[in-house]
Every structure is written in structure tokens, then in C-alpha cells.
Amino acid sequence: MGKTTPGDPKAKSKLTVRGDRQRHTPRLAPGQSSLPPQTAIILDSIADGVFTVNHEWHITFFNRAAEEITGIPAAEALGRPCCEVFRATVCETACVLKQTLETGKPVVCQPIAILRSDGKEIPITVSTALLKDEHGDVVGGVETFRDLSLVEDLRREIHRQYRLGDIISKSPLMQKIFNLLPDIARTDSTVLIQGESGTGKELVARALHNLSRRAQGPFVAVNCGALPDTLLESELFGHMAGAFTDARRDRRGRFAMAEGGTLFLDEFGDISPALQVRLLRVLEERTYTPLGSSKSFKADVRIVAASHKDLAQLVVEGAFRADLYYRINVVKLTLPRLAERKEDIPLLAEHFIERFNKLQNKKILGLNYDTLAIFMRHDWPGNIRELENAIEHAFIICPKGLIQAEHLPDQLRRESQPALFPEGLSLKEQEKRLLWEALERHGWRRMATARELGINKNTLRRKIQGYGWVPPDAGHPKKLSR
């Protein structure tokens, strides 16, 4: 190759990298690609978008998939600065390709969004790497990207199928409730919702209200366990001025506030026997009388009661009136514990992560594998509320990316330690123990156990038979032995 002299136009295309070695980074005319034809043909045949840039950030190659995803022809993209063509949400603040060129480290499958030529924002994942010549010198960068629009549409469709109001679940136990709610909502029947604290009783009550003919009316919630009798009675029925000390003016109660809508009585099992009598009359006659008043008012209100206590057992113990129980127990819904619907944990976690991202203006991508495994093993005594709190805690500590085990609350973090098996157990014996523990956690319900373990139900059945275990519904299971 001949030497160049000062002023020679060819000299402008040379850039010294290290020592005396030089490489060519030709200045491209618009529409001109720098890659060999054979390489371009190969890259044009793949479904992912690919483009390359030189050290001046000018695009030197733009494949057909990149054209389709961005809506910009290669002829218009080549030779232009990449930020003018590939309009991503991170271009100005945290360019992933710039990060790779500065650190030499590739980026793999980072989710971002870009703006197409028609102004539509679409979700993609990007991966980056250094672009080197035949001498191993860096001549620019390469970025591949995948259109996630279809994936996002499918995800939304799945969420639509597994969502009712603000309730998210794909558990068969919850799906049965989902199927019942529209039919229950069409009536004005009183509903009793039972379930442990944190299982979403108020969300179910709100869903009932929103599906009913009363949806345009108010939804009023009262925590019956949070107030003493005297205050709760005034809170529910209202009072007239002078009805008791400090009652200087008339006050409307929650029954009046809920007129034409739904009144949600939470922790209904904590109501005292004296107040139970008054509520029984309201339910029977659909009228109420404010404290200090001689006038009764009609109650056009749908009552939804909820309790974490077993009201039927309280009736047996004499702690709750049987007549009020049977009056309130027209339709009964029992919500399962989160430990009974662990297949919902990934969906719920994604929902909370999406919500906290918006509230805290963060970009947490999700849970890493270890964290999800911890979540699936945990019993969640606090149910969905505990899961939400765990993710909120992780958001405080996790700066970005995936939530790791180290970002979890202390109790969950301790569970991140690998399970300790007795010394000398073989892999088969360890599998046997894990299988037994999973069956015990789910009360020997095979479908739930198979879902947690990520195996087919037929595989689980064969393993149970192979170990000679007898499920409880067929007799007492054999004790696990080494």
C-alpha cells in the first residue's frame, strides 16, 4: 500500500490506535455500508435488528430487521449519528453502546424502549459488543435488538385473563372466585368474605362493588376491629347533636355515606355482642337509627362483611350470635392463603415491581432466579401484604437491575442460605427429601406441588409411586426415612 502525504484525502480516514499500528475507519457516504457483502447478507437474514457504529457514532451498517423494527430504511440510516436513527429512551442519559465502548464489557438483553419513525414507542431488548478489525483493534461497536411488542401484547393478554379489578391470580382456587363474582355482583345479597389477614378481602369487596349495578355509588369501608363499641356505633349509624359528650353537631354515619352503594365491614368478627344486636336489626329491616334520634332511615346499601376469624367456630364458642351469622352468611367466599396459591407469586411480584417503579421512578427489571426461588419456598404467613412489603423493602436497597437475595428483608435473606442436608445424603436422597417437604407444604395436593417444583404432574405421580408413599387421602403416608 502506498504512502500518503500531508493533504492526501486518504490520510483523513486513518486513526492511530496503539504504537505505530493504524487502522482504517472510512468516512461513509449516506447509504454506504462498511461491512463485507457476505457478512451483510448473513446479518440481513436474521430476525433481530443489527447496526454498527464507528468511533464517531456514525452508523456503518443497518440490517433489514433494523429497518422493519425502526421504520427507517438503511439508505437513510447509514452515515448518520446513531442517536438520530435509533431513538432510544437511554440515548441521552445512559447509552448502552457507549457503556460498552468505554468499559469493554458487553451488555446483554437490557430492556429499553425506542421511538419508531411513525412516533410509536415500542419495547425492545438490546445487546452490545465491541467491533474489532482483523488485527483485534476496536473500530466501533455493534448493537443487536429484538422487538418485544408481540411479547408485551401477549403479556397484557395474560394479565387480562388473570386479572379481575385489582386482583391478580392464575390459581385455580382464585379462578373459581373470579367466575363467581360477576353472578354475585348482579344481586344485592349480603356477602361474607373470610380469609387470613393480607389475602385481599377488601380487593374482592371492591371488585364486587365495581361489577354491580351500584358501581356508580360510593364504596365505604369500615374497620370494625379498630374502634371501641361507642365510637363504632356512632361511626356506623351517625349521631345527633347532644347524643353524648362532645357531640356538638349532627354527624352522618357510614350507612348514610354508603347510600346507593356498598358498605364494607372489615374485621366483622370483632364486633361486640351488644352491637351485633343492632346490626342484626339493620340487616333484617334495612333501616337504622342514628344515636340520639327517634327517627329511622332507610338503608339502600349492599353489605359486604369480612373477617380473618372463623365465624362459624365463634358461633359454636358462643362469641358470635348465630342469627347474625346466618343473616350475614348468604354468600360466603373463602380466600386462600398465598402459600396455597404460590403459582401467583411471579405475577404478583411483577405487578408490585411495576407499581413501585412508577411510584419511585426506578427501573427495577424484576427478580433474579435465586430471589424467585426464595419467594417460592417461603410460607408467607403475612400473605400478599407480606410479599408487597418485601418488594418495597427491596426497592429501597436495590439501585437498579434485578432484585437480589441481598436486597430482601432479614427473614427472607436468611432463607437464601442453601438448605442443609444431613451429611452423606446422595443426590437421589436429597431429591426424595425435597419432594417430601414440598408435598407436606401443599398438603399432598399434587397439582400445587408439581407447579412449585416445575415438573409434570405425571412425573410427580411416578416419583410418589416409586418411593412407595401413600397419600393421606388413601391412608396415612409412610414416614420419610433414609
Side-chain angles (χ1 to χ4, degrees), residues 342 345-346 349-350 353 364-380 387 390-395 398 400-409 411-417:
K342 285 193 172 183
I345 290 175
E350 182 182 356
I353 288 170
I364 302 299
L365 303 179
L367 310 176
N368 75 350
Y369 179 82
D370 291 338
T371 305
L372 180 58
I374 293 169
F375 279 13
M376 297 302 289
R377 287 197 303 266
H378 189 55
D379 285 336
W380 300 106
L387 173 63
I391 292 176
E392 185 174 6
H393 179 280
F395 259 72
C398 181
K400 61 181 179 179
L402 296 172
I403 294 175
Q404 314 284 336
E406 64 198 51
H407 302 137
L408 300 178
Q411 172 62 30
L412 287 169
R413 196 164 61 245
R414 284 194 292 269
E415 294 180 21
S416 69
Q417 301 300 321

Side-chain angles (χ1 to χ4, degrees), residues 146-175:
R146 179 169 297 178
D147 186 357
L148 297 182
S149 299
L150 180 59
V151 175
E152 196 66 18
D153 290 343
L154 289 173
R155 187 182 69 83
R156 280 194 291 266
E157 178 61 20
I158 290 172
H159 271 221
R160 187 191 65 78
Q161 293 176 3
Y162 295 148
R163 189 169 194 142
L164 183 65
D166 290 328
I167 314 168
I168 299 172
S169 178
K170 64 178 181 179
S171 162
L173 297 173
M174 288 300 295
Q175 286 295 316

Side-chain angles (χ1 to χ4, degrees), residues 420-437:
L420 297 176
F421 294 98
E423 187 177 353
L425 284 185
S426 67
L427 286 175
K428 185 175 181 179
E429 290 169 329
Q430 291 180 26
E431 179 196 64
K432 181 180 179 181
R433 183 171 293 274
L434 287 172
L435 182 60
W436 176 273
E437 291 174 352

